[in-house]
Amino acid sequence: MKNFLCRAVLVGLIAVSARAFSGTPVAVSLFDTLPERADVYGLHFSFASIGPISSNPNSVAGLSLGCIETGVGDGAMSGIQVSGILAGGECVYGLQAGGIFAIAEKATGIELAGGVSMCRDFRGAQLAGLLSQAESCCGLQLAFYTGSASMCGVQVGVMNFAVPAKDGWVVQLGLVNGIGKDEKSSWTEGIRYLPIVNAGW
């Protein structure tokens, strides 16, 4: 009974602060967020994630941890994002680590996944157990299979495929290394294969 009363008081304080200041230091998420539609200046608790939130509820600044998944929506993640299954976001700056998946539209820093790491525009080190894939990548890709349609940097994997970025270069280390001459290159056309080491610009 005492614990129930403490929780009720906490929820009441959260709701009052949200109404008074158009924001709240703490938000609680079970199925819906309480209070609804309030900016969070402090901590956001969820069965899926726990982490400090910046003034924009769609943005995270600091640490975001989740058992199942962590996400940022349309905002930016700055800091460390760790999840047991899926770490995802629109823009990620820092470390993004997912037990199975790490996915972002745009990322700068380190993207780490037990299975699949995918990003549209990536700068930094993209590391995964099975697949590291980026439409545009500047830095390092390391996985069983690495791929980028516009690469400037190093790929290390059993199978590597890339097209050098404009004014960029590619060095590949692996069993099957393929460098395409342009964005129209495929696995069968417009590509040069070399085992062990391949390079292009």
Side-chain angles (χ1 to χ4, degrees):
M1 184 68 176
K2 196 174 189 179
N3 287 339
F4 176 77
L5 288 174
C6 289
R7 289 180 189 145
V9 169
L10 177 61
V11 168
L13 289 173
I14 291 169
V16 168
S17 68
R19 292 238 180 234
F21 305 108
S22 298
T24 178
V26 179
V28 180
S29 296
L30 295 174
F31 299 104
D32 290 322
T33 301
L34 181 68
E36 292 181 43
R37 298 182 297 276
D39 288 342
V40 181
Y41 302 91
L43 292 174
H44 175 234
F45 296 96
S46 170
F47 74 94
S49 63
I50 300 172
I53 308 294
S54 70
S55 60
N56 183 342
N58 286 328
S59 297
V60 176
L63 177 65
S64 179
L65 303 173
C67 296
I68 299 168
E69 66 93 26
T70 57
V72 187
D74 294 334
M77 168 69 213
S78 298
I80 300 172
Q81 182 185 44
V82 180
S83 173
I85 296 176
L86 169 65
E90 186 76 18
C91 295
V92 178
Y93 305 97
L95 171 66
Q96 182 185 47
I100 299 175
F101 302 102
I103 298 172
E105 275 291 305
K106 183 176 181 179
T108 300
I110 298 172
E111 193 173 59
L112 179 65
V116 176
S117 172
M118 296 183 79
C119 187
R120 186 181 56 78
D121 184 4
F122 186 79
R123 303 287 178 265
Q126 191 179 34
L127 317 169
L130 296 176
L131 169 70
S132 285
Q133 179 77 38
E135 188 175 312
S136 172
C137 181
C138 182
L140 169 69
Q141 286 186 318
L142 188 146
F144 180 85
Y145 169 83
T146 68
S148 179
S150 179
M151 180 77 188
C152 182
V154 178
Q155 292 179 315
V156 180
V158 176
M159 298 170 62
N160 304 300
F161 175 79
V163 174
K166 193 173 183 180
D167 299 324
W169 54 271
V170 179
V171 173
Q172 298 173 324
L173 304 171
L175 288 180
V176 178
N177 302 303
I179 296 179
K181 63 180 182 180
D182 57 36
E183 64 278 353
K184 295 177 184 176
S185 301
S186 68
W187 279 102
T188 57
E189 288 184 29
I191 189 165
R192 182 187 72 244
Y193 287 103
L194 283 173
I196 312 304
V197 179
N198 199 0
W201 49 89

